[in-house]
Amino acid sequence: MSLAYQIFATWRDPAVKAQRDWLFLQFWGRTSNQRMWWFLGFMMLLCFLWLLPNEHSKMFYMPLCFLSYFHATNAVEVIAALKKWRLRSVQLQNVMVQALLLYWLVWSLLGLMIGYRMENATLLVLLSLVQLNVLLMSYSVPQALDNKALNLLNAPMLQGQGIWAVLIPTFALIFFPQHEALISNILLAATFSLLLALTWQLRRFGRARQLENIKHAERHTNEVPQQSKHPLRLRLRLEMNMGGALDNKGLRKILVSLLLVPYAFILMYQHLLPASFATGQWGAGAFFAILTPGFLGLFNGRQQWSGAWLVRSHSRAQLWWQDELLFLGALFITAVLNCALLLLLQIDSAGNVLNAALLFVFGAASLRYLIFSVPWMSMWSLTADGRTTQEGSLTSFFCLGFLWYWLTVIWGSGVQSNISVMIIAFGLVAPILAYVSLRKALKIDLGAIRRVKRS
Amino acid sequence: MNDRKPAVLETLVTAKDVALGVVNCAGQTLSIMPGQVVGLLGKNGAGKTTLLDGLLGYTFLNAGEVTVFGHNPTELPADVCSQIGFVAQQDDLLPWLTGSEMLAATRLFYPNWNHQLVDRLLDRWSVPVWQNISEMSVGERQKLALVAAMAHEPKLLVLDEPAASLDPLARRALIGELIDIVADGERSILLSSHIFSDIERVASDVWLLEKGRITYQGGLDELKESVVRLHLTRPLQVNGSLELTTKQVIRTEVNTGRETWIIRGWNEALAAECAAQITSPYQVEALGLEDAFVEISQ
């Protein structure tokens, strides 16, 4: 009995239907919150697509592909969560293929809508390519998504490599529009190849040969205790100050938030926006503005203070000083490096780059210390006195949004004297707020931090 | 002056008039001496974790004074910190490290590290140290936190509900280790737990926390002996007054032909008074720690 016959013969089976529906739902998000956010994300993007003229459609290559990529990785996680290959069976294969077909149908409709609106078949192919690539990963090496730190096929690495499937074709389309026809044909060929590979992988689903992979993986797992090396004191200190691991995934996160996202943004913006938008005051300013939230988000060592108390540092002043030393050091290095890169890439004039860098340094420092000084604001759901509050995030968002608005108005005006006054104001406010945040930190409730911590 | 100094140094923890959060121990002094195992008992929300946070400097006191090894707990010198081990209810492990990396990282900050003890505990508790902490179960994380807190052989070990997530085998092993720790008479443990059998096995003293106040501070046996159920046959026949006994009654239960008095503060004087005055049949029931706690808390 062929696979296709089995799939359609069991379509109306109530047991299969229940499992299929559950899996289909999981593909769209593991929780109802996730599903809701994906839906809102799609809707927002579609609205933008409808509102903007067609000549700006290239702006959406990257966001659409990323949306597609991250959504597909969610499906991969679902497949990988089926206990590697062990619980896979021929019966489950039918359910899985049915759920994927449904998923595929919805994606195709979405793709058709986007393709129809943008009158751009390349984009449709690109979306399919991303989806197929990620799904193929899920069928080929699902155990790699479950077992971390075993070999090159581990999950973060795999997802990290998979992201090139999004970046390379979209960058190619953005930067070499004259070869669009050729690139589209290559993408089409790649899509067909991936489709064939995926069909082949589907037929191998649940076959006993794959069980050897599990034995192999478990043998590696047992060897890990001998392989694990003691972390260096400095690395551990950095990790505790930053509140996250400095492993491959952590370093990638730093690179993505400090380099990839802002530079991808600025390059796209220079290549894709009409000249009227791209000229003017925005170059380096937009770059550092994009950089700021990611940079601030990297330093959440305060959440680890309760664990460091009695072990790493024995006074709150020490904890504060160690965290802020790293923050300020990283702030300075990031500003200098990016200044040099922006000048090298000739993204903006030297004066603008310097202004933007100074604004970034003093602005980011002021923002951090402002949030850590005012009890009703919060960063990473943590207030200045160590308590958590949901309202804090909302009020912070509104206040900072307001501040952000005025900042962009002044920057956008391009009047050097106003910009200088703004930089000086931030420069004066930053040390004052730093002092206030230190005073707050000296009285911080470490017990409260520990009690609400979710590790 | 010279006479007083050794006495101050001997006391590991002293807390006077402590007030923070729900805890209000105005007029009360708590202390932990070397070799003492203190069990901290109290209902949910009584303030046990808050009190421990105050004693170890995690939270600032609203009022009162605490000294840990003679120092203010919010400004402990490094050498004093290395003499304290603490395991919180919610562990403070770094989720991105593996178990063995976590232990190696903790070891960096302590001059003293008992490798044999670590190996023995890891083996006995089957802690998967090669796994990422974020992937461990709650019980496995708790065991790892216990190993990390005990490995540097602290003089004062503070455990907040350490056995709550442990299986019975691991719990027994933990109690065995705690008994070994205090065997030399120099090291002390402050243990908060809801598992009364554990407290009974290991604790020498008890702090009973009720609605933020310490209502009993003293020996475990004395507490158990001081709370009794006095079963009386109705009608009650007495020669004279039971003034001393009735003053100590905290609750009564009346059934057909039988009456039970729950007495807190039972002692020889009360026993003698009952023997002398009550002529109808009666029976004194001694209580275990859990029953005593339940009767006191009702």
Side-chain angles (χ1 to χ4, degrees):
Chain A
M1 215 187 307
S2 73
L3 177 65
Y5 177 79
Q6 281 175 20
I7 289 162
F8 289 105
T10 54
W11 192 270
R12 298 174 77 89
D13 182 336
V16 172
K17 184 178 180 297
Q19 289 184 61
R20 180 181 66 225
D21 290 349
W22 178 81
L23 260 178
F24 176 70
L25 204 64
Q26 297 299 305
F27 285 154
W28 293 92
R30 304 287 287 274
T31 63
S32 53
N33 266 357
Q34 277 181 5
R35 289 193 280 270
M36 192 181 74
W37 282 114
W38 280 120
F39 176 75
L40 289 175
F42 286 132
M43 287 299 108
M44 202 170 77
L45 205 61
L46 284 176
C47 287
F48 277 127
L49 278 170
W50 242 260
L51 288 171
L52 280 173
N54 265 355
E55 59 265 29
H56 296 162
S57 65
K58 278 186 181 177
M59 277 170 64
F60 292 95
Y61 278 3
M62 190 78 85
L64 273 172
C65 286
F66 267 105
L67 208 60
S68 171
Y69 175 76
F70 287 120
H71 200 275
T73 53
N74 190 68
V76 171
E77 278 176 24
V78 174
I79 297 169
L82 293 170
K83 299 287 174 196
K84 305 162 195 166
W85 294 100
R86 269 174 289 192
L87 292 183
R88 292 185 169 207
S89 60
V90 178
Q91 289 76 17
L92 189 61
Q93 179 187 20
N94 295 342
V95 176
M96 180 65 72
V97 175
Q98 287 179 6
L100 277 173
L101 274 174
L102 272 179
Y103 182 63
W104 204 247
L105 188 74
V106 177
W107 262 106
S108 305
L109 285 173
L110 201 72
L112 277 173
M113 277 169 74
I114 294 168
Y116 170 75
R117 169 71 188 104
M118 295 172 81
E119 295 168 356
N120 190 339
T122 308
L123 190 65
L124 201 63
V125 174
L126 199 63
L127 286 176
S128 303
L129 182 82
V130 170
Q131 282 280 310
L132 286 173
N133 180 61
V134 176
L135 285 175
L136 182 72
M137 285 194 321
S138 75
Y139 276 97
S140 311
V141 278
Q143 69 273 35
L145 289 147
D146 252 12
N147 285 303
K148 288 177 186 165
L150 290 182
N151 49 47
L152 282 177
L153 290 177
N154 66 30
M157 188 69 81
L158 196 68
Q159 287 191 11
Q161 287 164 351
I163 209 154
W164 291 111
V166 184
L167 289 177
I168 292 171
T170 43
F171 273 132
L173 283 166
I174 290 165
F175 297 127
F176 305 104
Q178 67 274 28
H179 303 303
E180 188 169 337
L182 178 68
I183 295 165
S184 297
N185 284 328
I186 293 171
L187 288 179
L188 200 62
T191 309
F192 277 122
S193 309
L194 277 173
L195 196 61
L196 286 174
L198 190 65
T199 316
W200 182 61
Q201 282 294 336
L202 274 170
R203 297 190 68 80
R204 280 156 42 109
F205 190 92
R207 272 168 56 175
R209 196 187 68 80
Q210 295 298 331
L211 287 169
E212 288 167 18
N213 283 357
I214 291 303
K215 287 174 191 161
H216 182 65
E218 281 170 356
R219 193 167 63 242
H220 272 279
T221 309
N222 292 333
E223 285 166 11
V224 169
Q226 285 82 44
Q227 289 172 356
S228 68
K229 58 183 185 299
H230 295 172
L232 294 172
R233 197 183 181 110
L234 178 67
R235 191 188 124 187
L236 179 78
R237 275 186 183 277
L238 286 173
E239 288 184 339
M240 289 181 98
N241 289 142
M242 289 186 66
L246 280 176
D247 53 5
N248 286 336
K249 193 179 174 185
L251 291 173
R252 211 166 32 247
K253 191 175 144 192
I254 293 172
L255 279 176
V256 166
S257 46
L258 297 192
L259 284 170
L260 193 64
V261 170
Y263 278 103
F265 171 81
I266 201 102
L267 288 173
M268 262 177 57
Y269 144 96
Q270 282 201 331
H271 280 81
L272 299 176
L273 279 185
S276 56
F277 280 130
T279 52
Q281 185 64 18
W282 281 97
F287 173 83
F288 278 110
I290 286 282
L291 186 67
T292 308
F295 184 82
L296 287 175
L298 279 177
F299 299 90
N300 57 0
R302 193 168 281 215
Q303 286 184 323
Q304 305 300 332
W305 277 14
S306 59
W309 182 248
L310 291 179
V311 180
R312 175 166 63 100
S313 303
H314 317 295
S315 78
R316 286 163 170 81
Q318 237 179 326
L319 288 168
W320 185 87
W321 180 242
Q322 285 172 359
D323 272 12
E324 298 319 315
L325 206 61
L326 179 76
F327 171 74
L328 292 175
L331 187 68
F332 181 71
I333 292 169
T334 307
V336 169
L337 276 179
N338 282 309
C339 252
L341 268 171
L342 287 171
L343 288 173
L344 206 68
L345 295 169
Q346 294 182 329
I347 281 171
D348 211 337
S349 68
N352 265 357
V353 171
L354 188 68
N355 275 342
L358 284 172
L359 196 59
F360 168 70
V361 170
F362 293 124
S366 300
L367 276 180
R368 180 177 168 89
Y369 296 129
L370 175 72
I371 292 168
F372 283 150
S373 302
V374 186
W376 47 264
M377 286 181 132
S378 72
M379 193 183 267
W380 314 291
S381 302
L382 199 66
T383 62
D385 50 12
R387 299 188 184 280
T388 55
T389 164
Q390 289 300 319
E391 294 89 38
S393 309
L394 203 64
T395 47
S396 307
F397 178 76
F398 278 116
C399 290
L400 297 183
F402 193 63
L403 188 72
W404 203 261
Y405 172 75
W406 280 111
L407 204 139
T408 50
V409 166
I410 295 172
W411 180 265
S413 72
V415 182
Q416 181 59 42
S417 58
N418 289 351
I419 293 169
S420 299
V421 168
M422 185 164 65
I423 293 168
I424 291 166
F426 275 121
L428 288 173
V429 162
I432 297 167
L433 287 173
Y435 178 72
V436 178
S437 84
L438 169 66
R439 301 292 304 171
K440 279 277 174 195
L442 291 180
K443 293 284 174 193
I444 201 164
D445 188 345
L446 299 173
I449 295 179
R450 191 191 64 238
R451 282 194 287 272
V452 296
K453 198 163 78 175
R454 299 277 180 272
S455 14
Chain B
M1 283 290 280
N2 287 343
D3 292 337
R4 285 182 64 192
K5 202 173 179 182
V8 172
L9 287 176
E10 261 184 24
T11 312
L12 303 185
V13 178
T14 314
K16 284 180 192 165
D17 309 324
V18 169
L20 79 157
V22 292
V23 177
N24 185 2
C25 300
Q28 297 181 317
T29 303
L30 307 169
S31 61
I32 302 175
M33 305 296 286
Q36 239 184 346
V37 181
V38 179
L40 177 59
L41 301 176
K43 286 200 283 192
N44 291 333
K48 299 189 293 294
T49 302
T50 311
L51 178 62
L52 294 183
D53 279 348
L55 294 183
L56 291 180
Y58 277 88
T59 310
F60 279 84
L61 302 178
N62 295 339
E65 189 191 348
V66 175
T67 55
V68 178
F69 292 92
H71 294 86
N72 178 348
T74 57
E75 295 160 7
L76 289 176
D79 60 322
V80 171
C81 285
S82 65
Q83 296 180 46
I84 302 171
F86 178 52
V87 179
Q89 223 171 340
Q90 288 100 346
D91 65 74
D92 254 331
L93 304 168
L94 301 175
W96 61 85
L97 297 181
T98 63
S100 51
E101 282 175 343
M102 184 72 225
L103 289 174
T106 313
R107 196 178 67 207
L108 289 171
F109 298 99
Y110 292 110
N112 183 30
W113 192 262
N114 188 336
H115 291 275
Q116 284 84 25
L117 177 69
V118 171
D119 292 342
R120 193 176 73 231
L121 289 178
L122 291 179
D123 187 46
R124 210 165 162 187
W125 287 343
S126 309
V127 184
V129 282
W130 60 90
Q131 242 182 31
N132 259 16
I133 290 169
S134 57
E135 291 164 1
M136 287 183 184
S137 71
V138 181
E140 287 166 346
R141 291 173 67 136
Q142 190 79 351
K143 288 174 194 172
L144 185 67
L146 281 164
V147 175
M150 290 158 77
H152 63 282
E153 298 185 320
K155 278 192 174 170
L156 174 65
L157 186 61
V158 182
L159 308 172
D160 188 7
E161 302 279 358
S165 316
L166 300 186
D167 56 71
L169 282 177
R171 226 178 65 220
R172 280 184 178 231
L174 171 67
I175 297 301
E177 289 300 331
L178 296 183
I179 291 168
D180 286 350
I181 285 173
V182 291
D184 60 6
E186 289 178 3
R187 296 163 66 190
S188 304
I189 298 169
L190 174 55
L191 171 74
S192 137
S193 179
H194 279 133
I195 303 170
F196 289 84
S197 55
D198 292 350
I199 298 262
E200 270 185 293
R201 283 185 67 194
V202 73
S204 57
D205 291 83
V206 167
W207 294 350
L208 188 59
L209 193 63
E210 287 181 90
K211 294 176 185 169
R213 279 193 73 77
I214 295 286
T215 53
Y216 178 82
Q217 185 192 178
L220 171 72
D221 294 333
E222 286 83 346
L223 174 67
K224 288 198 296 186
E225 285 164 11
S226 73
V227 184
V228 296
R229 286 195 193 111
L230 188 63
H231 299 289
L232 303 157
T233 313
R234 295 183 76 185
L236 178 63
Q237 293 169 352
V238 288
N239 285 335
S241 112
L242 282 171
E243 193 184 349
L244 284 177
T245 309
T246 47
K247 270 185 188 169
Q248 303 296 331
V249 174
I250 53 172
R251 203 162 55 81
T252 57
E253 285 171 9
V254 181
N255 299 316
T256 321
R258 197 178 165 92
E259 191 170 331
T260 304
W261 294 359
I262 316 299
I263 298 175
R264 186 175 179 184
W266 182 256
N267 54 29
E268 285 180 6
L270 266 63
E273 188 187 62
C274 288
Q277 306 297 343
I278 302 172
T279 53
S280 53
Y282 74 94
Q283 191 188 350
V284 179
E285 183 193 357
L287 301 179
L289 183 63
E290 188 166 345
D291 283 338
F293 177 78
V294 169
E295 294 297 1
I296 292 168
S297 304
Q298 269 182 3

